[in-house]
Amino acid sequence: MNLSTTTLQPDTTPSGAPRVTGFSAGDAAQDPMRNFGFTVSAYAIIWAMLVGFWLLSWRRQRALEARLGEVERSLEKAAPARAPASKN
């Protein structure tokens, strides 16, 4: 196959009309603000997920600290009174 003699034909529908595609590389270059809403939405979703993760971690940490305090108090009650070490 000789590429120098091959010509590319435009993509058409069966009726002969040009096929319309949803996106071409030139669209973004001509109108960079075209998908601004999608970009803002994506960043908002990511930030909401990060804040949700932070809040969930914070709540779990508070619960762990409360439980640790309970365990420490129960150990203090269960431990016998320590006598000072005698020096001989």
Side-chain angles (χ1 to χ4, degrees):
M1 180 171 165
N2 189 352
L3 293 178
S4 63
T5 60
T6 303
T7 58
L8 297 174
Q9 298 298 322
D11 194 14
T12 58
T13 61
S15 66
R19 185 178 305 267
V20 177
T21 60
F23 179 79
S24 71
D27 291 343
Q30 293 170 0
D31 186 14
M33 298 300 286
R34 177 176 167 208
N35 293 320
F36 182 73
F38 292 117
T39 303
V40 170
S41 299
Y43 276 105
I45 290 169
I46 289 170
W47 276 106
M49 289 172 45
L50 287 172
V51 168
F53 176 74
W54 177 77
L55 287 173
L56 184 64
S57 298
W58 177 65
R59 283 185 50 199
R60 286 183 177 180
Q61 182 65 31
R62 282 185 41 196
L64 284 172
E65 288 174 357
R67 178 67 179 135
L68 181 61
E70 292 173 11
V71 170
E72 286 175 345
R73 284 189 295 277
S74 66
L75 286 175
E76 287 173 359
K77 288 179 185 177
R82 295 184 182 175
S86 62
K87 296 182 180 181
N88 287 335

